[in-house]
Amino acid sequence: MTAGWAGGTVSRPLPGVARRSTRLVQVGHVRVGGGLPVVVQSMTNTDTVDVLGTAIQCAELARAGSELVRITVNTPQAAAAVAPIRAHLDRMGLDVPLIGDFHYNGHRLLAEHPSCALALAKYRINPGNVGHGRKRDEQFVQMIEIACRYDKPVRIGVNWGSLDQDLLARIMDENARRKPPHDAIEVMREAMVTSALESAARAEEIGLPGDRIILSCKVSGVQDLIAIYRELSRRCDYPLHLGLTEAGMGSKGIVASAAAMAVLLQEGIGDTIRVSLTPEPDGPRTQEVIVAQELLQTMGLRAFTPMVVACPGCGRTTSTFFQELAQSIQEHVRRRMPHWRLEHDGVENMTLAVMGCVVNGPGESKHANIGISLPGTGEAPAAPVFEDGVKTVTLRGDRIAEEFIAIVESYVARTYRGKSAAQ
């Protein structure tokens, strides 16, 4: 059983929105597509040869909520490390499926390292990096045949930075005969979609079942991603992996990824997502997992952890206390969630409000499961607490933070059933 709180639950479905893909692909114990909740995944940035370091980061990502974890398999040494990494995770009690990311030499690595081919739950193949000329089809066939032999699903992942140049030239030639021709951006988009669909069709010809195929077309432009996935979803029923490649660092990467994927998810496009953030130097890799979860949860598609609503602050809230309390509550629920998830069914749907003054504080607090309205500048030094819309207590003094956290813990214990009672 996977430790931590990776599962998440379906929250309120968006009106009129249904998952586009009806095909269901099994990746280890995780199911992708088939109308099921969108799956969160991530990728390590360790050297895969470092077995312990990679296993530790896989564990960190899984415990943060990554339901699939991809690792680089680029050398014979990396391929040889995959089975030991899998063994380390199993000993930790983590059954998170591992995906092998292959480029250029994947056909050889999978053939020469059967333990790697067996330990991985899915192979990622980039049709632009499989090979050149006559070798392209031969090496693609080898990888698909190995996937068939071990009954592994494959993500055919097209990337605009490594687009098949022969295919692109063919699409450009076809476009030149159009009257009028499409512009360069439209040609690139069509080449991406065509590469994914033709590669999937070829994989099925070789013998890989359609319910073993996931597609992606990664670009770094928001409008390009939206246009490509709309067209891809219109022309196929394979589960689709969403992600803005090379999204960037910090707020830029978060905003760009959310802007692109939110539009597609709202339209019912996408079955699994990754937020490809460049981490700050020495920053946690798990940030991309949290962003992906928050994107799905704020859209009402999944619930992973209690949401904390907090006001932005204004001239009425010159004290920083409400900011500090909101931060401590957010940290507390994330720290407690692994335990809560094991012990309290449905707690991930809980909402908390930490408000800074009387203007919206009581109202917002009443809308949350638990809310506190702190005093603003010049207001009476009292903090009413609301539970399910009813004021239950007013906190005062220097221990408001500790007392409110105790109220949250008490609310969780009596409101959300224990797992044994729920079963």
Side-chain angles (χ1 to χ4, degrees), residues 66-99:
S66 185
E67 293 156 301
L68 302 172
V69 175
R70 182 158 45 113
I71 60 177
T72 298
V73 186
N74 59 335
T75 65
Q77 294 78 14
V82 171
I85 291 168
R86 175 74 270 164
H88 271 291
L89 292 170
D90 292 341
R91 284 194 291 272
M92 288 186 237
L94 292 163
D95 59 358
V96 60
L98 295 180
I99 302 165

Coordinates of all heavy atoms in Angstrom, one line a residue, residues 66-99:
S66 N 2.5 12.3 -5.7 CA 2.7 11.9 -7.1 C 2.3 10.4 -7.3 O 2.9 9.5 -6.6 CB 4.2 12.1 -7.5 OG 4.4 11.8 -8.9
E67 N 1.3 10.2 -8.1 CA 0.8 8.8 -8.3 C 1.6 8.0 -9.3 O 1.5 6.8 -9.3 CB -0.7 8.9 -8.7 CG -1.5 9.5 -7.5 CD -2.8 10.2 -8.0 OE1 -2.7 11.1 -8.8 OE2 -3.8 9.7 -7.5
L68 N 2.4 8.7 -10.1 CA 3.3 8.0 -11.0 C 4.6 8.8 -11.0 O 4.5 10.0 -10.9 CB 2.8 8.0 -12.5 CG 1.4 7.4 -12.8 CD1 1.0 7.6 -14.2 CD2 1.5 5.9 -12.5
V69 N 5.7 8.1 -11.0 CA 7.0 8.8 -11.0 C 7.9 8.4 -12.1 O 8.1 7.1 -12.3 CB 7.8 8.6 -9.7 CG1 9.2 9.2 -9.7 CG2 7.0 9.2 -8.5
R70 N 8.4 9.3 -12.9 CA 9.2 9.0 -14.1 C 10.7 9.2 -13.7 O 11.1 10.1 -13.1 CB 8.8 9.9 -15.3 CG 9.6 9.6 -16.6 CD 8.8 10.1 -17.8 NE 8.2 11.4 -17.6 CZ 8.6 12.5 -18.3 NH1 9.6 12.4 -19.2 NH2 8.0 13.7 -18.1
I71 N 11.5 8.3 -14.2 CA 13.0 8.4 -14.0 C 13.7 8.3 -15.3 O 13.2 7.6 -16.3 CB 13.5 7.3 -13.0 CG1 13.2 5.9 -13.6 CG2 12.9 7.4 -11.7 CD1 13.8 4.7 -12.7
T72 N 14.8 8.9 -15.4 CA 15.6 8.9 -16.6 C 16.4 7.5 -16.8 O 17.0 7.1 -15.8 CB 16.7 10.0 -16.6 OG1 16.0 11.3 -16.6 CG2 17.6 9.9 -17.8
V73 N 16.3 6.9 -17.9 CA 17.0 5.7 -18.2 C 17.8 6.0 -19.5 O 17.3 5.8 -20.6 CB 16.1 4.5 -18.4 CG1 16.9 3.2 -18.5 CG2 15.1 4.3 -17.2
N74 N 19.0 6.4 -19.4 CA 19.8 6.9 -20.5 C 21.1 6.1 -20.7 O 21.8 6.3 -21.8 CB 20.1 8.4 -20.3 CG 20.8 8.7 -19.1 OD1 20.8 7.9 -18.1 ND2 21.6 9.8 -19.1
T75 N 21.5 5.3 -19.8 CA 22.8 4.6 -19.9 C 22.6 3.2 -19.5 O 21.7 2.9 -18.7 CB 23.9 5.3 -19.1 OG1 23.6 5.2 -17.7 CG2 24.1 6.7 -19.5
P76 N 23.6 2.3 -19.8 CA 23.5 0.9 -19.2 C 23.5 0.9 -17.7 O 22.8 0.1 -17.1 CB 24.7 0.2 -19.8 CG 25.0 1.0 -21.1 CD 24.6 2.4 -20.8
Q77 N 24.3 1.8 -17.1 CA 24.3 1.9 -15.7 C 23.0 2.3 -15.1 O 22.6 1.8 -14.0 CB 25.4 2.8 -15.2 CG 26.8 2.4 -15.6 CD 27.2 2.6 -17.1 OE1 26.5 3.4 -17.8 NE2 28.3 2.0 -17.5
A78 N 22.3 3.2 -15.7 CA 21.0 3.7 -15.3 C 20.0 2.6 -15.4 O 19.2 2.3 -14.5 CB 20.6 4.9 -16.1
A79 N 20.0 1.8 -16.5 CA 19.1 0.7 -16.7 C 19.3 -0.4 -15.6 O 18.4 -0.9 -15.1 CB 19.3 0.1 -18.1
A80 N 20.6 -0.6 -15.3 CA 20.9 -1.6 -14.3 C 20.4 -1.2 -12.9 O 20.2 -2.0 -12.0 CB 22.4 -1.9 -14.3
A81 N 20.3 0.1 -12.7 CA 19.9 0.7 -11.4 C 18.4 0.6 -11.2 O 17.9 0.8 -10.0 CB 20.3 2.1 -11.3
V82 N 17.6 0.4 -12.2 CA 16.1 0.5 -12.1 C 15.6 -0.5 -11.1 O 14.8 -0.2 -10.2 CB 15.4 0.4 -13.5 CG1 13.9 0.3 -13.3 CG2 15.8 1.6 -14.3
A83 N 15.9 -1.8 -11.3 CA 15.4 -2.9 -10.4 C 15.8 -2.6 -9.0 O 14.9 -2.8 -8.1 CB 15.9 -4.2 -10.9
P84 N 17.0 -2.3 -8.7 CA 17.4 -1.9 -7.3 C 16.6 -0.8 -6.7 O 16.2 -0.8 -5.5 CB 18.9 -1.6 -7.3 CG 19.4 -2.4 -8.5 CD 18.3 -2.3 -9.5
I85 N 16.3 0.3 -7.5 CA 15.4 1.4 -7.1 C 14.0 0.9 -6.7 O 13.5 1.2 -5.7 CB 15.4 2.5 -8.2 CG1 16.7 3.1 -8.3 CG2 14.3 3.5 -7.8 CD1 16.9 4.0 -9.6
R86 N 13.5 0.0 -7.6 CA 12.2 -0.5 -7.4 C 12.2 -1.3 -6.1 O 11.2 -1.3 -5.3 CB 11.8 -1.4 -8.5 CG 10.5 -2.2 -8.4 CD 9.3 -1.4 -8.6 NE 8.8 -0.8 -7.3 CZ 8.0 0.2 -7.2 NH1 7.5 0.8 -8.4 NH2 7.6 0.7 -6.1
A87 N 13.3 -2.1 -5.8 CA 13.4 -2.9 -4.6 C 13.4 -2.0 -3.4 O 12.8 -2.3 -2.3 CB 14.6 -3.8 -4.7
H88 N 14.1 -0.9 -3.4 CA 14.2 0.0 -2.3 C 12.8 0.6 -2.0 O 12.4 0.6 -0.8 CB 15.1 1.2 -2.6 CG 16.6 0.9 -2.2 ND1 17.0 0.9 -0.9 CD2 17.7 0.8 -3.0 CE1 18.3 0.6 -0.9 NE2 18.8 0.6 -2.1
L89 N 12.1 1.0 -3.0 CA 10.7 1.5 -2.8 C 9.8 0.5 -2.2 O 9.0 0.8 -1.3 CB 10.2 2.0 -4.1 CG 10.9 3.3 -4.7 CD1 10.4 3.6 -6.1 CD2 10.6 4.5 -3.8
D90 N 9.9 -0.8 -2.7 CA 9.1 -1.8 -2.1 C 9.4 -2.0 -0.6 O 8.4 -2.3 0.2 CB 9.3 -3.1 -2.9 CG 8.8 -3.1 -4.3 OD1 7.9 -2.2 -4.6 OD2 9.2 -3.9 -5.2
R91 N 10.6 -2.0 -0.3 CA 11.0 -2.1 1.1 C 10.5 -1.0 2.0 O 10.2 -1.2 3.2 CB 12.5 -2.3 1.3 CG 13.1 -3.6 0.9 CD 14.5 -3.8 1.4 NE 15.4 -2.9 0.7 CZ 16.0 -3.3 -0.5 NH1 15.8 -4.4 -1.1 NH2 16.9 -2.4 -1.0
M92 N 10.3 0.2 1.4 CA 9.7 1.3 2.1 C 8.2 1.3 2.2 O 7.6 2.1 2.8 CB 10.1 2.6 1.4 CG 11.6 3.0 1.6 SD 11.8 4.7 0.8 CE 13.1 4.3 -0.3
G93 N 7.6 0.3 1.5 CA 6.2 0.2 1.5 C 5.5 1.1 0.5 O 4.3 1.4 0.6
L94 N 6.3 1.5 -0.5 CA 5.8 2.4 -1.6 C 5.6 1.7 -2.9 O 6.6 1.3 -3.5 CB 6.7 3.6 -1.7 CG 6.8 4.6 -0.5 CD1 8.1 5.4 -0.6 CD2 5.6 5.4 -0.5
D95 N 4.4 1.6 -3.3 CA 4.2 0.9 -4.6 C 3.9 1.8 -5.8 O 3.3 1.4 -6.8 CB 3.0 -0.1 -4.5 CG 1.7 0.6 -4.1 OD1 1.7 1.8 -3.9 OD2 0.6 -0.1 -4.0
V96 N 4.4 3.0 -5.6 CA 4.3 4.0 -6.7 C 4.9 3.4 -8.0 O 6.0 3.0 -8.0 CB 4.9 5.3 -6.4 CG1 6.4 5.2 -6.1 CG2 4.7 6.4 -7.5
P97 N 4.1 3.4 -9.1 CA 4.7 2.9 -10.4 C 5.8 3.8 -10.9 O 5.7 5.0 -10.9 CB 3.5 2.9 -11.3 CG 2.3 2.9 -10.4 CD 2.7 3.7 -9.2
L98 N 6.8 3.2 -11.5 CA 8.0 3.9 -12.1 C 7.8 3.8 -13.6 O 7.5 2.8 -14.2 CB 9.3 3.2 -11.7 CG 9.7 3.3 -10.2 CD1 11.0 2.6 -10.0 CD2 9.7 4.7 -9.7
I99 N 8.1 5.0 -14.2 CA 8.1 5.1 -15.7 C 9.5 5.4 -16.2 O 10.2 6.2 -15.6 CB 7.2 6.3 -16.1 CG1 5.8 6.1 -15.5 CG2 7.1 6.4 -17.6 CD1 4.9 7.4 -15.6

